[in-house]
Amino acid sequence: MLLASAVVVWEWLNEHGRWRPYSPAVSHHIEAVARAGPRAGGSVVLGQADSRLAPYIIDLQSMHQFRQDTGTIRPVRRSYYDPSSAPGKGVVWEWENDSGSWTPYDMDVGITIQRAYEKQHPWVDLSTIGFCYVIDFATMGQINRQTQRKRRVRRRLDMVYPLVSGTLPKSQSWPASPGAAAAPPVPACACPQCLLVMSVKATVSATGPSTATLQTRKAPSVPPAAPKAAAPAPGAKAPDSVTTARGSLKPLAAQGGRRQAASTPTLSSASSNASPPGAGSGKASRPGLSTLNRSHLQRLAIAQSRVLIASGVPTVPVKNLTGSSPVNPALAGITGILMSAAGLPVCLTRPPKLVLHPPPVSKSEIQSIPGISHTCRKTTKKQAKKGKTPEEVLKKYLQKVRHPPDEDCTICMERLSAPSGYKGPQPAIKPDLVGKLAKCGHVFHLHCLVAMYNNGNKDGSLQCPTCKTIYGVKTGTQPPGKMEYHIIPHALPGHSDCKTIRIIYNIPPGVQGPEHPNPGKSFTARGFPRHCYLPDSEKGRKVLKLLLVAWDRRLIFAIGTSSTTGESDTVIWNEIHHKTEFGSNLTGHGYPDINYLDNVLAELAAQGITEESLAQEKD
């Protein structure tokens, strides 16, 4: 038994292994179908609740979400939360992503933030649940503890998630209760979608039973990429599938027990209990999908296409049905969904493939890059400190302010006319002194700036916490490693007019130094060597030269908590995005991407690396 009452949140598993919540409206829609039991058909058309999710169907029998235009599958689950928590009050916490839109936090993160907010805490540290972020409620900002990068966050009210009462099942299964299976079927609908389903069922009945069984092959696993996935909530993208889950197709009719949401990703199908118009009331069983051979599946596809054309619904042609290709698992999946009386009519094309690496390249084909000396850079241990006190460093960048303006210091959030509110180790400077940064003009307590400098890299540089203007030369805490770069004779998608620059980063595991989060503790280095790609164009070579400066300044990587796996004390990317897919863009880290070079130049500039930096390095 679980709680006597709870709110239900339906969630889907993204490619990074994190459960992302559907919006309250979509969760209400899914829950309504789940409570209706088998008489509702066992499938949920998400586009009926949110038009942006039109390609998606959830099969409640197998607890999987199916994307019709790619044939890919993701697990879903039904989670229970306390009615007094954030989802029970309709509270949604979101962070602003790089494109300026808002992305909801995972449900457990949002609940943690809301709990601290209700207790009127000034901030909440998310490291206790595996994230290196601090949420500051005064500024409504998210601060990365490693890089000090800030993002805006917001709290908004939405619909309350569905409430359930009484005895709750331990398993997340369907039907919701044993008695639901005995409910009478609803009358057949005459819309084009239901006509399509009925025609497919009639085709299955006409084919008769067969002894052939369709088995599908297991798909290779896909390594996780840096996160860009968003939850299907207002203002966010619908969940894009990256991997095709392929497993044996098994009829559900023989399964009497309930299915756990976290079961092995296999798609199961069964014929509906509802009889098509004109059918007799006899008890003869219909053949399940697992009894159909290739010719029967092709016949199903043809029948499906005919109904689609007749009903005026746009179609996506099915290709390569006669050969051995990835379309067969996709076709089996969509047919299984249609057999369980779900609604959106499409025909499938071949699912896209993930292409991480180029074709094999021999050593004789690899070329050095004109205008760039050598083909390899190494970094060793941290550079020696400047030997100046924090006060001496700040004196170069600050102007004293005798009459502070009537505003808050954005570091301690106290009035500038009052002493600093910093409560940590006290610097050797008066807490009521105020200074203005020379370039940007922002004003702070000197006490606060010294404390911020002492908590950073202490490399002689300073970054304005308000506008991120950099004073001096910013360096990072990247551990020792090697960066290789050369030209290979293959073109990237969208850059067919030039060859490709390949960058190979290699960082071994080791022990953290005094500049790292946990000095003396070992750190891991997952996924190395990491291969990245740039077009060998004029702008691509410019980006490479600036990346070399970033590497020398130890700004490409850092040690922290992985947002992909949640692992702490590991090597992570440091706010400069790289393209790690060579021939596709399924994860968002590949080509074509017409804005990538401009975006990465802006990210480098945010780290203080511009064309002026190239001249500084030469000097």
Side-chain angles (χ1 to χ4, degrees), residues 234-285:
K237 281 187 177 181
D240 259 352
S241 295
V242 179
T243 319
T244 301
R246 304 175 189 166
S248 300
L249 296 173
K250 301 177 181 179
L252 277 177
Q255 296 183 10
R258 294 178 174 177
R259 181 183 296 268
Q260 296 286 344
S263 59
T264 305
T266 60
L267 180 67
S268 304
S269 64
S271 56
S272 173
N273 292 330
S275 300
S281 59
K283 296 183 179 180
S285 62

Side-chain angles (χ1 to χ4, degrees), residues 487-546:
I487 296 174
I488 58 175
H490 299 291
L492 293 164
H495 296 277
S496 57
D497 57 338
C498 61
K499 296 179 181 179
T500 298
I501 298 172
R502 178 168 63 184
I503 304 171
I504 304 175
Y505 295 110
N506 204 348
I507 294 179
V511 177
Q512 298 181 52
E515 73 274 25
H516 294 136
N518 298 297
K521 185 178 180 180
S522 61
F523 66 87
T524 59
R526 311 292 186 191
F528 288 95
R530 299 187 185 182
H531 292 231
C532 308
Y533 305 96
L534 292 168
D536 185 27
S537 59
E538 181 179 354
K539 186 177 284 188
R541 293 185 184 184
K542 175 183 175 181
V543 169
L544 175 64
K545 291 177 182 178
L546 295 178

Side-chain angles (χ1 to χ4, degrees), residues 196 199-210 292-307 318 321 331 335 347:
L196 168 65
S199 69
V200 172
K201 290 178 178 178
T203 304
V204 174
S205 298
T207 60
S210 171
L292 299 181
N293 57 25
R294 181 184 297 275
S295 63
H296 294 151
L297 287 172
Q298 292 176 3
R299 208 172 308 168
L300 287 173
I302 293 171
Q304 178 184 352
S305 298
R306 286 175 179 169
V307 175
V318 176
L321 283 180
L331 179 59
T335 308
C347 300

